[in-house]
mmCIF file of all heavy atoms in Angstrom:
data_model
loop_
_atom_site.group_PDB
_atom_site.id
_atom_site.type_symbol
_atom_site.label_atom_id
_atom_site.label_comp_id
_atom_site.label_asym_id
_atom_site.label_seq_id
_atom_site.Cartn_x
_atom_site.Cartn_y
_atom_site.Cartn_z
ATOM 1 N N SER A 743 9.142 0.115 -14.495
ATOM 2 C CA SER A 743 9.426 -0.232 -15.875
ATOM 3 C C SER A 743 8.309 -1.098 -16.455
ATOM 4 O O SER A 743 7.467 -1.627 -15.721
ATOM 5 C CB SER A 743 10.761 -0.967 -15.964
ATOM 6 O OG SER A 743 10.693 -2.194 -15.264
ATOM 7 N N SER A 744 8.319 -1.273 -17.768
ATOM 8 C CA SER A 744 7.268 -2.051 -18.412
ATOM 9 C C SER A 744 7.284 -3.506 -17.948
ATOM 10 O O SER A 744 6.233 -4.137 -17.826
ATOM 11 C CB SER A 744 7.401 -1.979 -19.931
ATOM 12 O OG SER A 744 8.678 -2.445 -20.342
ATOM 13 N N SER A 745 8.467 -4.020 -17.653
ATOM 14 C CA SER A 745 8.569 -5.406 -17.183
ATOM 15 C C SER A 745 8.164 -5.538 -15.721
ATOM 16 O O SER A 745 7.881 -6.629 -15.243
ATOM 17 C CB SER A 745 9.995 -5.921 -17.348
ATOM 18 O OG SER A 745 10.865 -5.281 -16.433
ATOM 19 N N GLY A 746 8.162 -4.403 -15.001
ATOM 20 C CA GLY A 746 7.898 -4.449 -13.565
ATOM 21 C C GLY A 746 9.125 -4.779 -12.752
ATOM 22 O O GLY A 746 9.083 -4.758 -11.522
ATOM 23 N N GLY A 747 10.238 -5.063 -13.425
ATOM 24 C CA GLY A 747 11.432 -5.490 -12.714
ATOM 25 C C GLY A 747 12.267 -4.353 -12.160
ATOM 26 O O GLY A 747 13.198 -4.586 -11.387
ATOM 27 N N SER A 748 11.955 -3.134 -12.555
ATOM 28 C CA SER A 748 12.726 -1.981 -12.088
ATOM 29 C C SER A 748 11.788 -0.896 -11.602
ATOM 30 O O SER A 748 10.795 -0.586 -12.260
ATOM 31 C CB SER A 748 13.598 -1.449 -13.228
ATOM 32 O OG SER A 748 14.281 -0.277 -12.832
ATOM 33 N N THR A 749 12.112 -0.347 -10.454
ATOM 34 C CA THR A 749 11.327 0.748 -9.895
ATOM 35 C C THR A 749 12.267 1.843 -9.401
ATOM 36 O O THR A 749 13.447 1.596 -9.127
ATOM 37 C CB THR A 749 10.445 0.289 -8.720
ATOM 38 O OG1 THR A 749 11.281 -0.296 -7.711
ATOM 39 C CG2 THR A 749 9.409 -0.730 -9.167
ATOM 40 N N LYS A 750 11.743 3.028 -9.286
ATOM 41 C CA LYS A 750 12.495 4.150 -8.720
ATOM 42 C C LYS A 750 11.569 4.942 -7.810
ATOM 43 O O LYS A 750 10.367 5.013 -8.065
ATOM 44 C CB LYS A 750 13.028 5.069 -9.826
ATOM 45 C CG LYS A 750 14.139 4.484 -10.661
ATOM 46 C CD LYS A 750 14.626 5.497 -11.692
ATOM 47 C CE LYS A 750 15.733 4.898 -12.556
ATOM 48 N NZ LYS A 750 16.184 5.848 -13.604
ATOM 49 N N TYR A 751 12.159 5.532 -6.784
ATOM 50 C CA TYR A 751 11.383 6.331 -5.838
ATOM 51 C C TYR A 751 12.127 7.615 -5.502
ATOM 52 O O TYR A 751 13.360 7.625 -5.394
ATOM 53 C CB TYR A 751 11.151 5.547 -4.538
ATOM 54 C CG TYR A 751 10.332 4.300 -4.706
ATOM 55 C CD1 TYR A 751 10.930 3.075 -4.965
ATOM 56 C CD2 TYR A 751 8.935 4.341 -4.624
ATOM 57 C CE1 TYR A 751 10.182 1.923 -5.144
ATOM 58 C CE2 TYR A 751 8.175 3.193 -4.791
ATOM 59 C CZ TYR A 751 8.808 1.998 -5.054
ATOM 60 O OH TYR A 751 8.054 0.863 -5.230
ATOM 61 N N ALA A 752 11.364 8.668 -5.314
ATOM 62 C CA ALA A 752 11.943 9.897 -4.790
ATOM 63 C C ALA A 752 12.363 9.662 -3.340
ATOM 64 O O ALA A 752 11.750 8.849 -2.632
ATOM 65 C CB ALA A 752 10.926 11.032 -4.863
ATOM 66 N N ASP A 753 13.400 10.347 -2.903
ATOM 67 C CA ASP A 753 13.908 10.141 -1.544
ATOM 68 C C ASP A 753 12.823 10.394 -0.496
ATOM 69 O O ASP A 753 12.805 9.738 0.552
ATOM 70 C CB ASP A 753 15.096 11.073 -1.292
ATOM 71 C CG ASP A 753 16.334 10.664 -2.060
ATOM 72 O OD1 ASP A 753 16.401 9.502 -2.511
ATOM 73 O OD2 ASP A 753 17.234 11.509 -2.215
ATOM 74 N N SER A 754 11.925 11.301 -0.779
ATOM 75 C CA SER A 754 10.900 11.684 0.202
ATOM 76 C C SER A 754 9.894 10.569 0.475
ATOM 77 O O SER A 754 9.182 10.615 1.490
ATOM 78 C CB SER A 754 10.155 12.931 -0.289
ATOM 79 O OG SER A 754 9.531 12.676 -1.533
ATOM 80 N N VAL A 755 9.823 9.557 -0.409
ATOM 81 C CA VAL A 755 8.812 8.513 -0.227
ATOM 82 C C VAL A 755 9.422 7.119 -0.082
ATOM 83 O O VAL A 755 8.684 6.149 0.117
ATOM 84 C CB VAL A 755 7.797 8.503 -1.380
ATOM 85 C CG1 VAL A 755 7.151 9.873 -1.532
ATOM 86 C CG2 VAL A 755 8.429 8.047 -2.681
ATOM 87 N N LYS A 756 10.725 7.007 -0.179
ATOM 88 C CA LYS A 756 11.370 5.692 -0.064
ATOM 89 C C LYS A 756 11.028 5.055 1.279
ATOM 90 O O LYS A 756 11.086 5.700 2.319
ATOM 91 C CB LYS A 756 12.886 5.831 -0.204
ATOM 92 C CG LYS A 756 13.361 6.005 -1.630
ATOM 93 C CD LYS A 756 14.879 6.114 -1.700
ATOM 94 C CE LYS A 756 15.339 6.294 -3.139
ATOM 95 N NZ LYS A 756 16.811 6.478 -3.229
ATOM 96 N N GLY A 757 10.663 3.792 1.219
ATOM 97 C CA GLY A 757 10.309 3.072 2.423
ATOM 98 C C GLY A 757 8.860 3.235 2.842
ATOM 99 O O GLY A 757 8.378 2.516 3.720
ATOM 100 N N ARG A 758 8.158 4.190 2.224
ATOM 101 C CA ARG A 758 6.750 4.420 2.582
ATOM 102 C C ARG A 758 5.803 4.100 1.426
ATOM 103 O O ARG A 758 4.680 3.652 1.646
ATOM 104 C CB ARG A 758 6.544 5.872 3.008
ATOM 105 C CG ARG A 758 7.346 6.280 4.224
ATOM 106 C CD ARG A 758 6.932 7.658 4.733
ATOM 107 N NE ARG A 758 7.158 8.697 3.737
ATOM 108 C CZ ARG A 758 6.196 9.489 3.274
ATOM 109 N NH1 ARG A 758 4.946 9.359 3.697
ATOM 110 N NH2 ARG A 758 6.480 10.437 2.389
ATOM 111 N N PHE A 759 6.238 4.368 0.210
ATOM 112 C CA PHE A 759 5.397 4.152 -0.970
ATOM 113 C C PHE A 759 5.930 2.955 -1.749
ATOM 114 O O PHE A 759 7.152 2.735 -1.824
ATOM 115 C CB PHE A 759 5.417 5.373 -1.883
ATOM 116 C CG PHE A 759 4.722 6.591 -1.334
ATOM 117 C CD1 PHE A 759 4.258 6.650 -0.026
ATOM 118 C CD2 PHE A 759 4.523 7.698 -2.142
ATOM 119 C CE1 PHE A 759 3.616 7.781 0.473
ATOM 120 C CE2 PHE A 759 3.891 8.835 -1.668
ATOM 121 C CZ PHE A 759 3.448 8.876 -0.364
ATOM 122 N N THR A 760 5.032 2.197 -2.344
ATOM 123 C CA THR A 760 5.403 1.055 -3.175
ATOM 124 C C THR A 760 4.596 1.090 -4.453
ATOM 125 O O THR A 760 3.368 1.186 -4.406
ATOM 126 C CB THR A 760 5.143 -0.269 -2.448
ATOM 127 O OG1 THR A 760 5.844 -0.292 -1.206
ATOM 128 C CG2 THR A 760 5.606 -1.441 -3.305
ATOM 129 N N ILE A 761 5.281 1.004 -5.578
ATOM 130 C CA ILE A 761 4.599 0.972 -6.868
ATOM 131 C C ILE A 761 4.595 -0.459 -7.392
ATOM 132 O O ILE A 761 5.572 -1.189 -7.224
ATOM 133 C CB ILE A 761 5.277 1.937 -7.875
ATOM 134 C CG1 ILE A 761 4.440 2.074 -9.139
ATOM 135 C CG2 ILE A 761 6.701 1.506 -8.178
ATOM 136 C CD1 ILE A 761 4.958 3.188 -10.077
ATOM 137 N N SER A 762 3.495 -0.856 -8.007
ATOM 138 C CA SER A 762 3.391 -2.212 -8.562
ATOM 139 C C SER A 762 2.470 -2.153 -9.764
ATOM 140 O O SER A 762 1.763 -1.166 -9.983
ATOM 141 C CB SER A 762 2.858 -3.189 -7.511
ATOM 142 O OG SER A 762 1.559 -2.807 -7.083
ATOM 143 N N ARG A 763 2.472 -3.236 -10.529
ATOM 144 C CA ARG A 763 1.602 -3.254 -11.705
ATOM 145 C C ARG A 763 0.969 -4.622 -11.863
ATOM 146 O O ARG A 763 1.568 -5.644 -11.501
ATOM 147 C CB ARG A 763 2.380 -2.867 -12.963
ATOM 148 C CG ARG A 763 3.525 -3.770 -13.348
ATOM 149 C CD ARG A 763 4.378 -3.123 -14.441
ATOM 150 N NE ARG A 763 3.579 -2.836 -15.625
ATOM 151 C CZ ARG A 763 3.867 -1.849 -16.489
ATOM 152 N NH1 ARG A 763 4.924 -1.078 -16.294
ATOM 153 N NH2 ARG A 763 3.112 -1.651 -17.553
ATOM 154 N N ASP A 764 -0.226 -4.620 -12.392
ATOM 155 C CA ASP A 764 -0.960 -5.845 -12.718
ATOM 156 C C ASP A 764 -1.367 -5.703 -14.175
ATOM 157 O O ASP A 764 -2.410 -5.116 -14.485
ATOM 158 C CB ASP A 764 -2.162 -6.012 -11.798
ATOM 159 C CG ASP A 764 -2.880 -7.324 -11.997
ATOM 160 O OD1 ASP A 764 -2.662 -7.971 -13.050
ATOM 161 O OD2 ASP A 764 -3.668 -7.713 -11.126
ATOM 162 N N ASN A 765 -0.549 -6.235 -15.056
ATOM 163 C CA ASN A 765 -0.830 -6.070 -16.481
ATOM 164 C C ASN A 765 -2.110 -6.772 -16.898
ATOM 165 O O ASN A 765 -2.770 -6.357 -17.855
ATOM 166 C CB ASN A 765 0.357 -6.566 -17.306
ATOM 167 C CG ASN A 765 1.551 -5.618 -17.233
ATOM 168 O OD1 ASN A 765 1.439 -4.491 -16.764
ATOM 169 N ND2 ASN A 765 2.694 -6.100 -17.686
ATOM 170 N N ALA A 766 -2.472 -7.831 -16.204
ATOM 171 C CA ALA A 766 -3.720 -8.527 -16.525
ATOM 172 C C ALA A 766 -4.928 -7.619 -16.307
ATOM 173 O O ALA A 766 -5.946 -7.744 -16.998
ATOM 174 C CB ALA A 766 -3.843 -9.792 -15.678
ATOM 175 N N LYS A 767 -4.800 -6.710 -15.337
ATOM 176 C CA LYS A 767 -5.872 -5.756 -15.063
ATOM 177 C C LYS A 767 -5.618 -4.404 -15.717
ATOM 178 O O LYS A 767 -6.396 -3.473 -15.533
ATOM 179 C CB LYS A 767 -6.041 -5.574 -13.555
ATOM 180 C CG LYS A 767 -6.516 -6.833 -12.839
ATOM 181 C CD LYS A 767 -6.745 -6.560 -11.357
ATOM 182 C CE LYS A 767 -7.272 -7.812 -10.658
ATOM 183 N NZ LYS A 767 -7.503 -7.589 -9.218
ATOM 184 N N ASN A 768 -4.502 -4.319 -16.451
ATOM 185 C CA ASN A 768 -4.158 -3.068 -17.131
ATOM 186 C C ASN A 768 -4.108 -1.894 -16.162
ATOM 187 O O ASN A 768 -4.547 -0.778 -16.474
ATOM 188 C CB ASN A 768 -5.164 -2.762 -18.253
ATOM 189 C CG ASN A 768 -4.483 -2.271 -19.518
ATOM 190 O OD1 ASN A 768 -3.327 -2.592 -19.788
ATOM 191 N ND2 ASN A 768 -5.190 -1.502 -20.305
ATOM 192 N N THR A 769 -3.537 -2.154 -14.997
ATOM 193 C CA THR A 769 -3.558 -1.166 -13.923
ATOM 194 C C THR A 769 -2.222 -1.142 -13.192
ATOM 195 O O THR A 769 -1.583 -2.186 -13.005
ATOM 196 C CB THR A 769 -4.683 -1.482 -12.914
ATOM 197 O OG1 THR A 769 -5.936 -1.492 -13.595
ATOM 198 C CG2 THR A 769 -4.741 -0.443 -11.805
ATOM 199 N N VAL A 770 -1.831 0.062 -12.792
ATOM 200 C CA VAL A 770 -0.659 0.241 -11.943
ATOM 201 C C VAL A 770 -1.142 0.809 -10.611
ATOM 202 O O VAL A 770 -2.051 1.644 -10.580
ATOM 203 C CB VAL A 770 0.358 1.190 -12.602
ATOM 204 C CG1 VAL A 770 1.470 1.567 -11.627
ATOM 205 C CG2 VAL A 770 0.952 0.535 -13.845
ATOM 206 N N TYR A 771 -0.531 0.349 -9.550
ATOM 207 C CA TYR A 771 -0.941 0.764 -8.219
ATOM 208 C C TYR A 771 0.199 1.493 -7.507
ATOM 209 O O TYR A 771 1.380 1.278 -7.805
ATOM 210 C CB TYR A 771 -1.334 -0.454 -7.375
ATOM 211 C CG TYR A 771 -2.430 -1.284 -7.985
ATOM 212 C CD1 TYR A 771 -2.132 -2.437 -8.700
ATOM 213 C CD2 TYR A 771 -3.769 -0.915 -7.843
ATOM 214 C CE1 TYR A 771 -3.132 -3.206 -9.268
ATOM 215 C CE2 TYR A 771 -4.780 -1.682 -8.401
ATOM 216 C CZ TYR A 771 -4.449 -2.818 -9.111
ATOM 217 O OH TYR A 771 -5.455 -3.574 -9.675
ATOM 218 N N ARG A 772 -0.185 2.308 -6.556
ATOM 219 C CA ARG A 772 0.801 2.861 -5.653
ATOM 220 C C ARG A 772 0.259 2.820 -4.235
ATOM 221 O O ARG A 772 -0.712 3.492 -3.909
ATOM 222 C CB ARG A 772 1.203 4.288 -6.014
ATOM 223 C CG ARG A 772 2.481 4.677 -5.264
ATOM 224 C CD ARG A 772 2.927 6.029 -5.624
ATOM 225 N NE ARG A 772 2.037 7.010 -5.028
ATOM 226 C CZ ARG A 772 1.977 8.262 -5.432
ATOM 227 N NH1 ARG A 772 2.708 8.657 -6.425
ATOM 228 N NH2 ARG A 772 1.178 9.093 -4.854
#
């Protein structure tokens, strides 16, 4: 989400992939 407070994952990647964001760098990571 835009706030970073909510995330969702497909079942196939849960526990393995992590999404995050750094708004100061205008970048989202996975």
Side-chain angles (χ1 to χ4, degrees):
S743 64
S744 58
S745 70
S748 176
T749 57
K750 290 182 181 178
Y751 296 91
D753 289 342
S754 60
V755 304
K756 282 181 180 177
R758 299 189 299 122
F759 291 8
T760 303
I761 189 171
S762 61
R763 62 191 301 153
D764 186 343
N765 287 348
K767 295 183 178 180
N768 223 27
T769 301
V770 170
Y771 303 98
R772 195 178 73 197

